[in-house]
Every structure is written in structure tokens, then in C-alpha cells.
């Protein structure tokens, strides 16, 4: 419930007990742009535990450019707490007196961490795009007085589109489409984009400096991405496809697995994944314990039999199971090694796994009723397909020894 907060110097409003006392006074001073003592301070603000400032529901393109997404919001964190996390950093607080945060909206829908604690996310809007870009620089840095690090991403989408967080983790599955060249290249890091351009003799220093000055790291990456796409389109870089396939799976292993998948009672999805159904058997992330093995023992048994027969030496920690997965280009950054992938169902005319092997070649891997060894740390995606049913299983490892990526489809 949104209440009206009226605070005097040193006093905490009894009708707003939702907002932690230790953040109230300093947060209000951040709104006013001062930390100085002021005996005449008397502020009225509409504020709630999960919101400070206007509701961030339908931002304009300009507002999106100065809005960031922050994950890992703990159940006991409110809007004032989130705001103060940024107030405490002088890199953002250039004036050292103003928090620069205009609005915070917390969404309590989210996912559970390894301890089972339900995490949410927040949309945080700054007074300028420059300050939002400064805040993005905190990504991966420790959050004071917590064991957590800042999980921060831009909240910028093309004009007219609705972002993932604005949809509130909606479960609608988009129709599969062929990713554009730019979408295929977007998973590359700034250093990878720079290196690829430099192989052509393209100097990127001036482009990077101008973009950085205009819009920060996000603008710098977009400038490099645009330049690289131009190089492909004008023929300076060539990009070809090579078709290949995984190892055929014997019917005595495949049929029981397909029957089990068709009869599953799927758990509620806890992650924003473009799939009709999704779950992870085993260890979903490093530091977590095994999940869902007791609930789906038959499926785990059939997966184990398949891998024992076709890839007995591969020590996997996890199996991602999906139904009608729509995959945009991405990399599996948390994987410790290569992975094995297979797909099955009544789909046809597509559904291959595409993996970028190099700047010149994309592998188009047929995984239908086949087990393919690929490295998910290379950019990859799934081609559109026809049919109402496409299951996929990805066997991967997020624990144990790290194996450096060597090839998109290792021998």
C-alpha cells in the first residue's frame, strides 16, 4: 500500500514502518540533494516499501535509456534500501550530495537462490543517462555489508518493444524467428568485437572514445557492433554455414525418454525462459545443491542411461529440460566445460542448433534424435521449426575443473 510519508529532522514516521528507519532520513536527503543538517526539513513524498517515485510501468524511450535493471533483491530490501546502495557510491554520487536516483520499483516475482530465498528485481531510474551508465559500472562489484555483488543490466529495448522486466516475467512464448546478423553477434563481448574488427585492420579507438563519451559502455558496444555488421554486409568479412549432425540415439533409449517427457507434470517456471516448459535437473547453478531429482527420478534415470551409453566419460552436473524452447543467440557463461545437446519430438523443417565456430563459420547442428557435443560458451541459438512439439535436453557442468573453450564442436 502506498502511504504518505512526512518526516522531520531526526524523526521517523510511525505510519511508514515498512521503510527501515536506518535508511529513511538519508534517503529523503538524497531526494532533496543534501546530506546537510536542516532543522527546517519537512518533506512529503509518496513512497511504499516496494516503490519510491513514479511507478516504472510504461517508460518512454528516453526514460528507458536512464533506467537500469538490478537482480538479487532480497525479501527484506525495500525501495529506500535499494536507493541507498547507489547513494553510498561516490563514483555515482559525483556531487557527493545527491543520490541521482529518481525512482525505484521493486518486483517481488523472481527466483530462489541456493538457500531457497525468493529473490526479486528492481527497476531504477536515474536523473540522466550518464548517471545510469555510471551505475552500470558497479556490475559485479561487492554490495556493502552483504555477501552479494551487484547484478545490474541495462533496461534498453528498441522503441515500441516491451522489456522482460516490464512484462513482469511474463510466460508468453514468442514465435520462433531467424535471428538477425546483429542478434547473432550481440553475445560477443566488447573485447571480442574489437579483436574481430582489428583483424580487418579497422582502428576502433576513435569510435570507442566517441561512443563512450556519448553513452557509456552500452553505447560503445553498440558502435562496435554496428561497425562489425557493416563489415559483414559490405563483404569485408564472409560468414558461411556448415551443416553437421550429432550421434544418432538408439530407439530403445529414445522412445522411453520421449514418452516420459510427454507425460511429465512440469514444475512452475521460476526463470524468464522463452519456452513453454523449462526445468533443470541436478545443480542449477554453482554453489547450489541438486534440485528436482526426487520429484523426477524416472526422467533422471533415463537421462543417465542415455549418457552412459553414448558419452560415459562426461561428468555432468545438470540437465536443462525444455519444451518448445525459443532460443535467441546467447552464451552459457557459467559452464565449466563443453556440453551435450539433443532434441526430440514431432517437430520438423528446422530446429537445428546453430553455433558460431569462428568469425567466418556457423555450424548448423542436427540434434533431432541425436546427441551432439558442443561448447555453449560460443554464441549459439536454435533455428525456427514447424510442429507443436520440440523437447530438448542439455547436459552441462557448472561445478568441478574448468576446461577452457577450444572449439564450438569439440572432437
Amino acid at each position: 500500500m502506498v502511504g504518505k510519508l512526512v518526516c522531520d529532522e531526526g524523526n521517523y514516521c510511525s505510519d511508514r514502518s515498512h521503510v527501515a528507519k536506518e535508511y529513511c532520513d538519508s534517503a529523503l536527503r538524497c531526494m532533496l540533494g543534501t546530506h546537510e543538517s536542516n532543522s527546517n526539513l519537512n518533506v512529503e513524498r509518496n513512497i511504499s516499501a516496494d516503490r519510491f517515485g513514479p511507478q516504472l510501468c510504461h517508460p518512454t524511450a528516453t526514460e528507458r535509456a536512464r533506467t537500469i535493471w538490478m537482480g538479487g533483491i532480497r525479501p527484506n530490501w525495500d525501495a529506500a534500501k535499494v536507493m541507498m546502495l547507489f547513494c553510498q557510491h561516490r563514483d555515482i554520487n559525483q556531487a557527493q550530495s545527491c543520490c541521482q536516483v529518481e525512482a525505484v520499483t521493486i518486483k517481488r516475482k523472481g527466483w530462489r537462490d541456493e538457500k531457497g530465498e525468493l529473490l526479486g528485481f528492481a527497476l531504477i531510474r536515474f536523473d540522466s543517462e550518464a548517471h545510469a551508465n555510471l551505475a552500470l559500472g558497479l556490475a559485479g562489484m561487492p554490495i556493502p555489508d552483504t555477501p552479494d555483488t551487484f547484478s545490474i543490466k541495462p533496461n534498453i529495448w528498441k522503441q515500441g518493444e516491451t522489456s522482460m522486466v516490464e512484462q513482469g516475467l511474463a510466460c508468453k512464448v514468442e514465435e520462433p524467428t531467424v535471428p538477425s546478423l546483429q542478434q547473432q553477434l550481440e553475445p560477443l563481448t566488447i573485447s571480442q568485437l574489437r579483436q574481430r574488427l582489428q583483424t580487418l585492420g579497422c582502428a576502433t579507438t576513435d569510435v570507442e572514445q566517441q561512443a563512450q563519451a556519448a553513452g557509456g559502455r552500452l553505447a560503445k558496444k553498440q558502435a562496435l557492433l554496428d561497425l562489425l555488421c557493416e563489415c559483414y554486409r559490405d563483404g569485408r568479412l564472409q560468414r558461411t554455414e556448415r551443416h553437421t549432425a550429432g550421434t544418432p540415439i538408439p530407439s530403445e533409449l529414445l522412445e522411453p525418454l520421449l514418452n516420459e517427457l510427454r507425460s511429465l507434470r512440469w514444475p512452475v517456471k521460476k526463470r524468464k525462459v522463452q519456452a513453454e516448459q523449462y526445468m533443470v535437473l541436478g545443480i542449477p547453478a554453482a554453489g547450489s545443491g541438486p534440485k528436482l531429482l526426487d520429484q523426477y527420478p524416472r526422467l533422471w534415470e533415463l537421462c543417465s542411461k542415455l549418457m552412459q551409453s553414448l558419452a560415459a566419460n562426461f561428468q555432468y552436473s545438470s540437465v536443462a529440460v525444455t519444451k518448445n524452447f525459443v532460443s535467441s543467440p546467447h552464451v552459457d557463461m557459467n559452464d565449466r566445460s563443453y556440453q551435450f545437446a539433443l532434441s526430440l519430438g514431432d517437430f520438423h523443417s528446422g530446429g537445428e542448433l546453430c553455433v558460431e565456430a569462428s568469425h567466418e563459420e556457423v555450424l548448423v547442428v542436427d540434434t533431432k534424435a541425436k546427441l551432439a557435443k558442443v561448447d555453449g560458451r560460443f554464441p549459439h541459438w536454435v533455428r525456427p521449426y514447424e510442429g507443436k512439439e520440440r523437447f530438448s535436453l542439455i547436459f552441462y557442468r557448472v561445478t568441478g575443473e574448468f576446461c577452457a573453450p577450444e572449439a564450438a564442436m569439440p572432437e
Side-chain angles (χ1 to χ4, degrees):
M1 182 180 75
V2 177
K4 184 161 285 190
L5 177 65
V6 182
C7 284
D8 295 318
E9 174 73 18
N11 295 328
Y12 179 68
C13 307
S14 60
D15 66 330
R16 279 300 305 122
S17 58
H18 295 85
V19 181
K21 180 182 187 304
E22 58 266 34
Y23 301 114
C24 179
D25 291 342
S26 53
L28 285 171
R29 289 187 172 82
C30 280
M31 296 182 217
L32 295 177
T34 177
H35 286 299
E36 301 296 327
S37 175
N38 183 350
S39 59
N40 296 320
L41 177 64
N42 185 44
V43 185
E44 283 196 10
R45 286 291 185 271
N46 287 327
I47 192 167
S48 75
D50 286 351
R51 181 162 68 87
F52 145 62
Q55 183 81 17
L56 301 181
C57 289
H58 303 290
T60 65
T62 302
E63 289 170 338
R64 281 181 183 167
R66 51 192 176 95
T67 302
I68 68 172
W69 175 95
M70 178 176 177
I73 303 300
R74 298 287 173 182
N76 60 335
W77 292 6
D78 55 26
K81 164 69 174 178
V82 172
M83 182 170 61
M84 285 304 300
L85 294 178
F86 296 92
C87 293
Q88 292 166 355
H89 282 269
R90 291 190 175 184
D91 287 342
I92 300 174
N93 252 336
Q94 291 180 322
Q96 298 184 17
S97 63
C98 181
C99 186
Q100 315 294 3
V101 175
E102 283 190 348
V104 176
T105 295
I106 295 177
K107 299 290 186 180
R108 295 297 177 182
K109 297 178 181 179
W111 52 91
R112 296 185 184 275
D113 64 6
E114 62 274 10
K115 297 180 180 179
E117 187 172 59
L118 186 64
L119 304 179
F121 62 82
L123 293 176
I124 305 151
R125 192 173 75 202
F126 291 81
D127 64 341
S128 70
E129 188 174 349
H131 286 136
N133 283 321
L134 283 174
L136 289 172
L138 296 176
M141 294 179 63
I143 296 177
D145 303 320
T146 78
D148 303 320
T149 58
F150 280 98
S151 176
I152 299 174
K153 296 179 183 179
N155 188 43
I156 301 176
W157 272 256
K158 294 178 182 178
Q159 189 170 4
E161 292 183 353
T162 303
S163 75
M164 175 181 73
V165 289
E166 289 159 7
Q167 293 169 3
L169 297 177
C171 296
K172 180 181 178 181
V173 179
E174 298 174 357
E175 289 296 321
T177 57
V178 177
S180 66
L181 174 62
Q182 178 165 312
Q183 289 173 326
Q184 294 175 25
L185 298 173
E186 278 178 350
L188 298 175
T189 64
I190 287 177
S191 61
Q192 289 171 328
L193 291 167
R194 182 188 301 125
Q195 183 179 14
R196 194 168 293 192
L197 286 164
Q198 289 173 350
T199 62
L200 297 172
C202 292
T204 63
T205 303
D206 290 344
V207 171
E208 292 188 53
Q209 288 178 348
Q210 292 172 7
Q212 178 76 35
R217 286 181 59 84
L218 186 65
K220 179 166 70 173
K221 179 174 181 178
Q222 187 62 52
L224 293 174
L225 187 58
D226 291 342
L227 185 57
L228 183 58
C229 288
E230 183 181 336
C231 291
Y232 279 106
R233 293 188 181 107
D234 67 16
R236 281 178 284 171
L237 277 177
Q238 301 293 326
R239 191 174 172 87
T240 61
E241 292 183 347
R242 178 162 64 89
H243 290 254
T244 185
T247 302
I249 301 172
S251 59
E252 60 268 23
L253 294 173
L254 193 67
E255 290 177 7
L257 185 57
L258 181 56
N259 291 335
E260 180 67 17
L261 290 168
R262 285 172 170 166
S263 64
L264 278 184
R265 288 192 63 183
W266 294 79
V268 175
K269 282 198 303 179
K270 296 180 181 178
R271 289 180 56 189
K272 170 66 177 180
V273 176
Q274 281 295 319
E276 184 179 328
Q277 303 290 353
Y278 170 85
M279 67 175 165
V280 173
L281 298 179
I283 300 174
S288 173
K291 307 290 185 182
L292 300 180
L293 299 185
D294 292 339
Q295 292 93 318
Y296 300 94
R298 175 61 175 164
L299 180 57
W300 182 257
E301 177 189 357
L302 293 171
C303 288
S304 300
K305 283 183 178 180
L306 184 148
M307 292 300 288
Q308 185 62 36
S309 175
L310 299 179
N313 293 328
F314 181 60
Q315 300 296 316
Y316 57 94
S317 64
S318 321
V319 183
V321 187
T322 67
K323 180 180 180 182
N324 296 338
F325 181 50
V326 179
S327 171
S328 58
H330 66 284
V331 294
D332 300 326
M333 297 181 62
N334 295 322
D335 282 13
R336 304 288 291 174
S337 74
Y338 54 84
Q339 59 185 228
F340 282 88
L342 71 93
S343 58
L344 59 168
D346 66 4
F347 71 96
H348 56 92
S349 301
E352 297 92 348
L353 176 62
C354 297
V355 189
E356 189 192 63
S358 71
H359 66 276
E360 297 176 324
E361 184 179 64
V362 173
L363 299 177
V364 181
V365 187
D366 179 8
T367 62
K368 184 174 182 180
K370 301 176 181 68
L371 187 68
K373 183 180 181 181
V374 299
D375 199 319
R377 294 168 292 183
F378 287 73
H380 59 283
W381 60 95
V382 174
R383 274 190 164 178
Y385 53 88
E386 296 180 12
K388 296 182 179 180
E389 177 189 76
R390 183 186 184 275
F391 297 101
S392 66
L393 299 174
I394 307 297
F395 299 82
Y396 64 101
R397 183 162 61 83
V398 294
T399 60
E401 182 181 359
F402 177 79
C403 299
E406 296 179 353
M409 200 167 181
E411 296 295 333

